Amino acid sequence: MLTEEQLKERKGYIGASDASAVLNLSRYSSPLQVWAEKTGAITPEDISDKLPVILGNKLEQTVAELFMERTGKKVQRVNETLFHPKHPFIGCNLDRRVVGEKSVLESKTASAWKAKE
């Protein structure tokens, strides 16, 4: 889960959650909405109280543990915002880094009703 500081910092970069909207590929947002949020023209919707978000946050550690059990690999939490070395306006907050590899684990969860998505 992101800290209050990280949530404020997100306004200054394009993150993974913004990427599909910037490319006009998101059903939840648009390039104009991303621009308006980043410039402060509108306030982003607070979705922290939505059940899928709450469950995703609570299940993140469980997903990481299952991944380690199933693969024998170890993961560690990443507690910082990472930025592209050549394009500092691109950033992300990874869920976990796979130890000993140049790999990451994003602990996403979804209901069975979203399987086709």
Side-chain angles (χ1 to χ4, degrees):
M1 192 143 80
L2 298 179
T3 65
E4 192 66 35
E5 182 179 315
Q6 287 172 316
L7 289 171
K8 287 179 184 175
E9 183 183 42
R10 273 188 163 185
K11 189 174 176 181
Y13 66 87
I14 302 297
S17 301
D18 303 317
S20 61
V22 168
L23 296 170
N24 207 27
L25 297 173
S26 173
R27 68 155 69 162
Y28 305 106
S29 187
S30 68
L32 181 59
Q33 184 172 344
V34 172
W35 172 85
E37 290 175 359
K38 300 296 181 183
T39 60
I42 63 171
T43 303
E45 178 187 3
D46 179 3
I47 60 170
S48 62
D49 65 337
K50 299 208 180 280
L51 185 58
V53 174
I54 293 167
L55 288 172
N57 287 332
K58 290 192 175 286
L59 292 172
E60 188 176 298
Q61 180 62 31
T62 302
V63 170
E65 289 170 5
L66 285 168
F67 174 83
M68 290 188 292
E69 287 174 15
R70 296 283 177 115
T71 65
K73 298 178 181 187
K74 292 187 179 185
V75 297
Q76 64 185 39
R77 187 182 305 269
V78 179
N79 293 316
E80 64 181 310
T81 303
L82 304 173
F83 293 94
H84 190 284
K86 293 182 182 175
H87 308 288
F89 61 89
I90 300 172
C92 69
N93 298 94
L94 301 175
D95 291 340
R96 302 285 190 285
R97 183 176 283 135
V98 180
V99 177
E101 295 183 13
K102 285 190 167 189
S103 303
V104 298
L105 172 66
E106 284 296 300
S107 303
K108 302 302 179 210
T109 58
S111 72
W113 292 282
K114 299 282 186 176
K116 290 184 180 180
E117 294 179 32

